[in-house]
Amino acid sequence: QVSPEQVILSHSPLRLFSQFHQKCMLVAGQGPVEENALNLGFKHVVTIEALRKAYPLLDMVDQSRRPKELPPPATGFPTIEGVILFGEPVRWETSLQLIIDVLLSNGNPGVELQDIPYPHLPVLACNMDLLWMAEAKMPRFGHGTFLLCLENIYKKVTGRELKYEALIGKPSPVTYRYAEYLIKQQAEKQGWKSPIRRLYAVGDNPMSDVYGANLYNNYLKSAHQNQVQAGVKRSPEAASPQTEDHLELRKDCNNSVESCESILVCTGVYRHNADDPRNTEECTTGTVFHGHRDFCFDPSLVEASYIVQDVNDAVQLAFKKENWS
């Protein structure tokens, strides 16, 4: 039976962003986003719908939803101190408008706009997939597409780049760092004495699973080399800006892990030597990069350490590499 500590969702690492847990956070997405935020430790949460209800004049794209009469001014509504983007919302025009309003007004969208603050309020985004495959013959928009819209609107309006406090979910190093943290907790519960030196990341998507594992492997190598050479935990160039600046992991992860091996399986998105053109090398090394703006593309990052048929073979490979077979 799998315990909650063994499952990582795209938003799970937000548990460790404790510096935001007491702040009033606007949450966007669909499904139980308010409940998810509270379960992750956030104490003061405002939904897009609650914000729209407090300030109905902000949401003006859909003419049928415009207020028929001038509403009374909102009173007692809290100042928003940060934004959490869980996933793609349903009404994109409403979420795009209100999130931009919050960033431009420094969390007070009911007041007259003065100087536009920059840096803007902290933005935490989960799940960066531009597209995803459903039952349709063509890929569907993912949260990465919504983020692309938000980034370009903000830049068009302000002339400045939208900045993220953290990008969470594969292929972000934050997610792999959090996985390392949970693995070490599991090892401690099992009474393991030997430090964990190698991680194995198994997945079927070169652009997310393999890319993220290799990116984290590069971070581990840089951090370890820097630690050996200079006797310090971390250097600015050793990691992505979002890797652990805001995570209280240093006391829990003592950099004993030295590598993260990527294992690509052939039972999902990736099909080894298949005739489907979506699975050819061109899909991962072509000129069109579907990754997020803040992750520069490197063809070497989508090359898996190992390619096996399925997850069982991947586990057996890890056992063999660790001399457990």
Side-chain angles (χ1 to χ4, degrees):
Q1 184 176 356
V2 178
S3 67
E5 293 81 12
Q6 293 175 282
V7 178
I8 300 178
L9 303 176
S10 62
H11 55 251
S12 297
L14 288 174
R15 295 181 188 279
L16 298 176
F17 284 73
S18 57
Q19 69 274 32
F20 297 108
H21 287 176
Q22 299 298 328
K23 295 183 182 295
C24 181
M25 305 294 288
L26 175 68
V27 293
Q30 57 181 291
V33 290
E34 184 175 13
E35 180 183 345
N36 288 342
L38 293 173
N39 289 337
L40 290 166
F42 295 90
K43 305 300 183 185
H44 310 286
V45 176
V46 173
T47 64
I48 291 288
E49 189 55 38
L51 181 62
R52 178 183 172 274
K53 185 176 180 180
Y55 301 105
L57 295 178
L58 296 180
D59 187 21
M60 301 295 281
V61 173
D62 187 344
Q63 296 184 20
S64 66
R65 300 220 301 177
R66 294 177 184 176
K68 302 299 185 289
E69 299 177 357
L70 192 64
T75 57
F77 199 82
T79 298
I80 293 170
E81 300 173 279
V83 180
I84 302 174
L85 307 176
F86 278 108
E88 60 270 24
V90 176
R91 284 183 168 267
W92 284 33
E93 80 283 358
T94 296
S95 291
L96 288 170
Q97 177 72 79
L98 269 60
I99 292 167
I100 292 292
D101 289 338
V102 166
L103 296 180
L104 298 185
S105 66
N106 210 32
N108 295 282
V111 303
E112 186 175 347
L113 189 62
Q114 303 293 329
D115 294 332
I116 296 175
Y118 197 82
H120 53 70
L121 292 174
V123 178
L124 301 143
C126 312
N127 190 348
M128 295 162 274
D129 289 349
L130 184 76
L131 304 168
W132 65 288
M133 203 66 194
E135 289 76 19
K137 300 298 183 183
M138 293 183 291
R140 303 293 85 200
F141 291 159
H143 193 215
T145 308
F146 179 81
L147 298 180
L148 184 65
C149 296
L150 184 67
E151 292 155 11
N152 280 280
I153 293 171
Y154 184 84
K155 186 171 184 179
K156 193 71 174 179
V157 171
T158 68
R160 296 175 179 268
E161 294 284 352
L162 180 75
K163 300 292 185 181
Y164 294 96
E165 194 76 12
L167 287 165
I168 303 168
K170 294 182 296 187
S172 169
V174 174
T175 293
Y176 292 83
R177 187 67 162 157
Y178 183 62
E180 177 188 340
Y181 166 74
L182 291 186
I183 288 170
K184 289 184 175 180
Q185 282 191 331
Q186 292 290 320
E188 185 177 340
K189 288 180 180 179
Q190 296 294 329
W192 290 10
K193 302 300 181 184
S194 300
I196 296 172
R197 298 297 184 190
R198 286 171 298 278
L199 300 176
Y200 295 89
V202 182
D204 68 350
N205 191 329
M207 270 296 184
S208 58
D209 303 320
V210 173
Y211 182 104
N214 290 340
L215 191 66
Y216 192 57
N217 185 55
N218 287 351
Y219 159 71
L220 290 171
K221 287 181 177 178
S222 297
H224 180 69
Q225 184 179 16
N226 185 74
Q227 186 177 356
V228 170
Q229 291 179 349
V232 297
K233 290 289 185 185
R234 174 181 180 269
S235 66
E237 66 273 12
S240 159
Q242 302 111 7
T243 300
E244 59 177 339
D245 285 339
H246 309 287
L247 302 181
E248 296 178 358
L249 292 176
R250 298 182 192 181
K251 61 179 179 292
D252 300 298
C253 296
N254 59 7
N255 287 339
S256 62
V257 173
E258 298 174 1
S259 66
C260 180
E261 305 285 339
S262 55
I263 304 178
L264 183 62
V265 298
C266 305
T267 49
V269 173
Y270 179 80
R271 294 285 192 276
H272 191 49
N273 291 330
D275 294 330
D276 189 342
R278 291 174 298 177
N279 296 311
T280 63
E281 185 179 358
E282 183 179 349
C283 178
T284 56
T285 61
T287 57
V288 178
F289 175 50
H290 285 182
H292 188 268
R293 175 200 70 183
D294 292 354
F295 291 85
C296 296
F297 180 57
D298 179 351
S300 67
L301 292 177
V302 296
E303 297 177 6
S305 304
Y306 307 96
I307 300 177
V308 299
Q309 180 57 38
D310 53 30
V311 172
N312 180 64
D313 288 347
V315 173
Q316 295 304 318
L317 174 62
F319 282 178
K320 183 178 179 180
K321 297 288 291 182
E322 296 299 316
N323 294 319
W324 289 353
S325 57

